[in-house]
Amino acid sequence: MDLDREELARWLAQAEHTLASGRRDVLEGDYDWAAFKAQQAAELALKGLLRGLGQPTYGHSVKRLLEALAQAGVAFPGELVQAAQELDIHYVPARCPDAYPAGSPHDTTPCRLAPAWGPR
């Protein structure tokens, strides 16, 4: 399998930047944005790998991106699919007030992801 490392590195740099920003959001208690940025970081990293493999893809579902990787012959631990589903949940509700019947995302986004996002 050929890998365009430069293309992958470009996308991973943005994923790492987004992840770092999400960690700062957790420290400030901005769990809505931290949840969204966790999803975005995973999406960017997976899209980078797919693009590096010469398989550009579109969309925002982390689970679907993992499925595309599997189709490309990339093996990964099965528990990543469950983690991907958890991240996909945060793509819209963490940002859009109309995802809830009342309140705003910053009032309703669960902070159960916060412990995993603490300083390392």
Side-chain angles (χ1 to χ4, degrees), residues 1-59:
M1 216 180 301
D2 289 332
L3 179 63
D4 181 342
R5 293 180 186 279
E6 188 174 320
E7 183 68 1
L8 173 59
R10 226 168 56 92
W11 285 77
L12 286 180
Q14 188 62 40
E16 290 169 358
H17 174 76
T18 301
L19 190 62
S21 177
R23 285 193 172 121
R24 289 189 301 273
D25 288 336
V26 166
L27 295 175
E28 294 296 321
D30 293 332
Y31 302 119
D32 51 336
W33 283 109
F36 173 67
K37 289 175 184 177
Q39 187 280 337
Q40 286 291 280
E43 179 184 330
L44 289 163
L46 293 174
K47 282 183 176 178
L49 181 53
L50 284 161
R51 290 178 68 91
L53 292 170
Q55 300 197 19
T57 188
Y58 304 93

Side-chain angles (χ1 to χ4, degrees), residues 47-116:
K47 282 183 176 178
L49 181 53
L50 284 161
R51 290 178 68 91
L53 292 170
Q55 300 197 19
T57 188
Y58 304 93
H60 304 285
S61 170
V62 176
K63 181 181 179 215
R64 192 182 72 69
L65 294 169
L66 281 175
E67 290 167 354
L69 275 176
Q71 289 175 352
V74 176
F76 51 85
E79 60 264 15
L80 284 185
V81 174
Q82 183 178 350
Q85 289 173 308
E86 177 72 24
L87 288 172
D88 282 346
I89 291 168
H90 298 290
Y91 180 70
V92 172
R95 301 173 293 125
C96 302
D98 62 353
Y100 299 96
S104 294
H106 72 273
D107 294 325
T108 55
T109 300
C111 61
R112 62 189 160 124
L113 295 178

